[in-house]
Amino acid sequence: MVTDHKSSSVLSEPTESSPIENELPTYRAISSRAVLSLLCGILALFSIANSFFYIFAVLAVVLGFTADWNIQRYPDILTGRRLAQAGAALGLIFGLAVFTVSSVQGFIRTRNAESFSNYYAEVLQTGDLAHLLWLEIPPVQRKSVSAEEVEKKTHSTKKKEAAMYDMRTASIRNLKKRLDSSKDQELHFVRLENEARDGLTLVALALFEVHGPESKDFPQEEYALAVLKGTSASGKGYEWWVEEIVYPYKPATATLPEKPVDDGHGHAH
């Protein structure tokens, strides 16, 4: 029997893979967390202008680190490590920058408000009512009017306006009455109870302690609260004025004034 050695040898040889197929890389998906981290890192740039975007800086860091960890754990499945690292880096840079600037500005605001509160305590103790009323005027308007002019304008108001004025200034006049009743009556600034921002205007609640000999009109110790408002002054920190005085006052009972809500028809509630 004749055997075809040539044909059998051909059939028995194993088939070799194509060189092109061996050179094709294994497909790896781009990590969605890495992409989101980069997008959040870019959005974190806007946190410089608005604190709302600060959350994107936090998300960029969290998503970036978790994406990088997953990519290292599954290198044959996921890719995009550079995107994750870039997103995390942007989040850290803008997040830390905004945090640092906000902390410094907050410290400066607090020191400015405390400085004005100490000055206001001195005016309450030694100044007159005219000067106290002058400090209730915003700084821009104070530049064009003196304390004496404010007092003259107050005395020349009509009867109806005078009644409203008496109601508005009742607390500060009663406080001044106590301080002027005896040289042993003292007042000093205690602390800021709260601080906030209403648009471009700063709001601070300053607590003052009043103490002296007890009498039939006044107890030995009382407290007063000043609602302070301030605006930024270029190169000069902040300028403040007194919006309202509450006397007598129970510590830690005041809340920051709420911003009126527009009902959509131009009416605030």
Side-chain angles (χ1 to χ4, degrees):
M1 182 178 177
V2 179
T3 306
D4 191 348
H5 295 284
K6 184 177 180 181
S7 60
S8 62
S9 61
V10 172
L11 291 173
S12 62
E13 289 180 358
T15 57
E16 296 182 358
S17 300
S18 170
I20 298 178
E21 291 180 1
N22 290 332
E23 293 178 2
L24 288 175
T26 304
Y27 173 76
R28 294 184 297 167
I30 298 176
S31 171
S32 58
R33 291 187 182 183
V35 176
L36 288 174
S37 174
L38 182 60
L39 291 175
C40 288
I42 295 172
L43 289 173
L45 169 65
F46 296 99
S47 59
I48 298 173
N50 192 322
S51 58
F52 168 78
F53 290 92
Y54 188 76
I55 189 173
F56 289 102
V58 178
L59 289 174
V61 175
V62 173
L63 290 171
F65 280 112
T66 55
D68 187 54
W69 181 79
N70 281 329
I71 293 170
Q72 291 186 70
R73 187 178 181 186
Y74 306 106
D76 298 332
I77 302 175
L78 296 174
T79 187
R81 191 177 180 189
R82 289 186 178 180
L83 296 178
Q85 292 174 344
L90 289 173
L92 284 171
I93 291 171
F94 294 123
L96 291 175
V98 171
F99 176 78
T100 302
V101 171
S102 299
S103 299
V104 172
Q105 289 181 341
F107 176 77
I108 294 173
R109 286 196 302 268
T110 299
R111 291 299 298 270
N112 269 252
E114 291 174 344
S115 178
F116 179 80
S117 298
N118 282 310
Y119 167 70
Y120 188 66
E122 292 181 8
V123 177
L124 279 168
Q125 188 76 53
T126 61
D128 54 16
L129 186 60
H131 198 171
L132 292 171
L133 295 176
W134 183 72
L135 290 176
E136 293 184 356
I137 302 174
V140 176
Q141 300 176 22
R142 285 206 300 260
K143 295 176 181 178
S144 59
V145 65
S146 65
E148 291 74 18
E149 290 173 334
V150 172
E151 188 177 24
K152 288 180 181 179
K153 185 177 179 180
T154 301
H155 290 307
S156 63
T157 55
K158 296 179 181 179
K159 187 175 181 180
K160 184 178 179 181
E161 294 176 348
M164 295 178 62
Y165 163 80
D166 289 341
M167 291 178 59
R168 184 174 64 86
T169 61
S171 291
I172 192 170
R173 286 187 290 107
N174 290 334
L175 176 57
K176 190 61 180 166
K177 179 181 178 181
R178 168 167 184 170
L179 293 173
D180 293 343
S181 65
S182 168
K183 63 178 182 180
D184 296 322
Q185 299 290 342
E186 296 182 358
L187 176 143
H188 66 270
F189 168 64
V190 180
R191 66 176 182 276
L192 295 179
E193 283 198 343
N194 209 340
E195 297 175 76
R197 180 184 287 275
D198 182 10
L200 298 177
T201 303
L202 305 174
V203 183
L205 304 181
L207 178 66
F208 298 88
E209 181 184 3
V210 189
H211 55 86
E214 185 176 354
S215 67
K216 63 177 183 178
D217 296 322
F218 308 109
Q220 183 177 1
E221 183 180 81
E222 288 183 304
Y223 291 91
L225 181 81
V227 179
L228 310 180
K229 288 195 173 182
T231 54
S232 177
S234 56
K236 298 180 180 179
Y238 297 88
E239 294 180 327
W240 299 85
W241 70 96
V242 181
E243 177 75 9
E244 182 185 2
I245 285 287
V246 181
Y247 170 78
Y249 169 73
K250 183 179 179 181
T253 58
T255 56
L256 290 167
E258 293 185 3
K259 188 177 181 180
V261 179
D262 197 317
D263 61 3
H265 301 285
H267 304 103
H269 298 284

